């Protein structure tokens, strides 16, 4: 079902593009498999409705594939430092699951959540990359994807060099040749500890939610098999006992269907939201890593500036002809250092705001997920109890006949 969202992120009743209040509504619909073999992929219709003046039309429909969503995520992560970029669902490498109806629907739902989180974010919804994603033709998107120069676009030889540099850096730290530069802010340490703990707890809850889904499905299949066997047993009897067995088999098959439906609801409304928040926490950890890089960059430039300043003082003292060149280098470095400090301070400010927003949204979303879980389990338990209870008089009557 399509859902309208304002730029504040709250769900609203549908509005026409003539509405005076700004709104941006996005829906990811109609997944279709295209191509064959290893070249096969799923395409989606992305429908945008808005009254933002910077958009081409009040309504636009484009076709997108998973790699287009990856492009958008990567672009936003590169440009919006300090903001928690919404996570994408992982890409399944297992062929038999990649194109199953259930996986496709889970992927579609997760992509819809992803793009609507961006569209409802007070900063991200203004992104030019989001506008391109929602409006550009397929050929344009294909060209934009091919222009990406991120780490995953590099040649194997370049990647090997990156890994060697990282390995060398780690070795230097381990051997004591270089000490890692890290923040010592207690509040920041507290936040990092909370995020790492949250990831562990969410992952554990999601693991057991998966087991619950599996258990429901296995029990449903067992009831289905049992129902078929008991119905055959009833047919061979052909009397009151046979009729009772047949009804027992029928009830078992009906309950099997209930269990399979509940397993699907449990998957979509409980396990998937938990998995989504595991991914969200991993996205926050990526932002933490960016903050650490910005802090180290700021410290490195500050240290280099001190050395440049000492060198400049020496050159001025001996009246060297290199003073002008050194002064120019110092000014450039100072400007770069100030920019690095501003970048770091901006990331800190944005992360504090994002953590507050994340906590509020997490409380709401996880609360809904657990409410849906409890409601579903209660519904299933009542359904099972009612089904067996309705069968008891017939089974008791059958027992009475045997006793008489």
């Amino acid at each position: 079902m399509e859902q309208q969202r304002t730029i504040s992120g709250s769900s609203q009743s549908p509005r026409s593009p003539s509405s005076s209040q700004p709104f941006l509504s996005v829906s990811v619909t109609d997944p279709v498999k295209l191509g064959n073999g290893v070249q096969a992929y799923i395409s989606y219709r992305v429908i945008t409705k808005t009254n933002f003046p910077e958009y081409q039309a009040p309504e636009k429909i484009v076709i997108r594939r998973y790699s287009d969503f990856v492009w958008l995520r990567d672009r936003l992560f590169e440009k919006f430092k300090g903001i928690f970029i919404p996570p994408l669902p992982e890409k399944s490498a297992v062929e038999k699951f990649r194109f199953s109806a259930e996986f496709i629907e889970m992927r579609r739902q997760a992509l819809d959540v992803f793009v609507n989180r961006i569209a409802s974010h007070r900063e991200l919804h203004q992104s030019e990359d989001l506008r391109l994603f929602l409006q550009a033709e397929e050929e344009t998107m294909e060209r934009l994807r091919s222009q990406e120069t991120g780490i995953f676009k590099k040649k194997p030889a370049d990647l090997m060099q990156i890994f060697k540099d990282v390995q060398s850096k780690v070795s230097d730290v381990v051997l004591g040749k270089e000490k890692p530069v890290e923040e010592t802010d207690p509040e920041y340490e507290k936040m990092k500890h909370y995020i790492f703990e949250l990831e562990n707890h969410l992952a554990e809850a999601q693991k057991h939610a998966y087991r619950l889904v599996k258990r429901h499905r296995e029990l449903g299949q067992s009831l289905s098999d049992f129902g078929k066997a008991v119905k055959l047993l009833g047919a061979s009897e052909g009397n009151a006992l046979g009729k009772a067995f047949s009804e027992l088999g029928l009830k078992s098959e009906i309950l099997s269907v209930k269990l399979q439906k509940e397993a699907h609801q449990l998957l979509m409304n409980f396990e998937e939201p938990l998995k989504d928040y595991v991914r969200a926490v991993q996205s926050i950890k990526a932002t933490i890593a960016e903050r650490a890089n910005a802090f180290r960059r700021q410290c490195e430039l500050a240290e280099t500036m001190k050395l440049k300043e000492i060198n400049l003082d020496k050159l001025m003292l001996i009246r060297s002809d290199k003073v002008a060149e050194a002064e120019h280098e110092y000014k450039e470095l100072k400007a770069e250092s100030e920019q690095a400090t501003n970048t770091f301070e901006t990331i800190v400010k944005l992360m504090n705001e994002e953590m507050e927003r994340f906590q509020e949204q997490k409380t709401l979303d996880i609360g809904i997920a657990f409410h849906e879980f409890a409601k579903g389990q209660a519904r299933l338990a009542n359904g099972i109890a009612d089904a067996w209870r309705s069968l008891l008089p017939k089974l008791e009557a059958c027992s009475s006949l045997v006793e008489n």
Side-chain angles (χ1 to χ4, degrees), residues 71-211:
W71 173 87
L72 176 61
R73 191 271 317 273
D74 290 350
R75 296 284 288 181
L76 294 176
F77 183 75
E78 185 65 31
K79 293 183 178 181
F80 290 87
K81 303 296 185 184
I83 288 178
F84 302 157
I85 306 303
L88 277 171
E90 57 274 359
K91 188 170 185 177
S92 175
V94 183
E95 186 72 20
K96 67 176 181 178
F97 296 130
R98 194 156 63 103
F99 297 115
S100 68
E102 186 172 77
F103 177 80
I104 290 172
E105 175 53 24
M106 284 194 301
R107 166 69 63 79
R108 184 209 63 77
Q109 182 174 293
L111 293 176
D112 188 272
V113 169
F114 164 76
V115 75
N116 271 290
R117 280 176 174 165
I118 295 170
S120 64
H121 194 282
R122 64 183 182 277
E123 299 287 341
L124 300 180
H125 86 271
Q126 303 176 56
S127 164
E128 180 183 349
D129 293 313
L130 175 63
R131 289 198 294 275
L132 276 170
F133 174 83
L134 295 176
Q135 298 180 110
E137 299 303 323
E138 291 176 71
E139 296 79 9
T140 303
M141 281 305 304
E142 188 175 353
R143 188 175 70 253
L144 289 169
R145 288 199 315 270
S146 67
Q147 292 171 353
E148 284 299 286
T149 56
I151 185 172
F152 298 109
K153 296 290 183 179
K154 291 182 179 290
K155 296 177 181 178
D158 296 329
L159 288 175
M160 285 302 297
Q161 187 58 50
I162 290 172
F163 295 144
K164 286 178 181 177
D165 291 343
V166 171
Q167 189 177 29
S168 176
K169 204 79 170 175
V170 170
S171 298
D172 288 346
V173 171
V174 171
L175 295 172
K177 296 179 183 178
E178 179 181 327
K179 293 182 179 180
V181 182
E182 295 182 356
E183 286 185 69
T184 55
D185 179 8
E187 287 301 314
Y188 178 52
E189 288 300 316
K190 184 178 176 182
M191 183 196 75
K192 285 198 297 182
H193 178 75
Y194 167 74
I195 289 299
F196 280 82
E197 285 289 300
L198 179 62
E199 181 183 26
N200 291 335
H201 296 324
L202 283 170
E204 189 70 12
Q206 186 266 320
K207 180 178 73 175
H208 290 292
Y210 167 78
R211 289 176 179 173

Side-chain angles (χ1 to χ4, degrees), residues 19 29-30 61 110 171 182 207 216 230 236 269 388 399:
S19 172
T29 65
D30 301 334
I61 300 175
S171 298
E182 295 182 356
K207 180 178 73 175
H216 278 53
V230 173
S236 70
N269 298 328
W388 293 134
S399 299

Side-chain angles (χ1 to χ4, degrees), residues 239-245 248 391-404:
N239 51 24
L241 183 62
K243 186 177 180 183
F245 282 167
L248 176 61
L391 197 60
L392 286 176
K394 296 173 183 177
L395 292 173
E396 287 169 357
C398 185
S399 299
S400 298
L401 286 172
V402 173
E403 290 173 1
N404 293 332

Side-chain angles (χ1 to χ4, degrees), residues 241-289:
L241 183 62
K243 186 177 180 183
F245 282 167
S246 295
E247 291 196 28
L248 176 61
L250 182 61
K251 287 291 183 184
S252 296
E253 290 181 333
I254 291 172
L255 287 176
S256 169
V257 173
K258 281 182 179 290
L259 275 161
Q260 294 294 351
K261 286 182 177 178
E262 193 54 48
H264 181 72
Q265 291 299 316
L266 190 60
L267 173 69
M268 301 302 291
N269 298 328
F270 188 58
E271 187 201 345
E272 273 301 303
L274 288 175
K275 189 186 292 185
D276 177 60
Y277 264 90
V278 172
R279 294 190 293 256
V281 170
Q282 290 167 350
S283 179
I284 293 173
K285 287 171 67 178
T287 306
I288 288 173

Side-chain angles (χ1 to χ4, degrees), residues 306-319 323 326:
K306 287 179 184 177
L307 296 175
K308 287 283 186 183
E309 190 172 1
I310 292 170
N311 183 57
L312 179 59
D313 289 342
K314 287 181 180 178
L315 290 174
M316 292 178 71
L317 191 63
I318 63 174
R319 301 180 185 277
V323 169

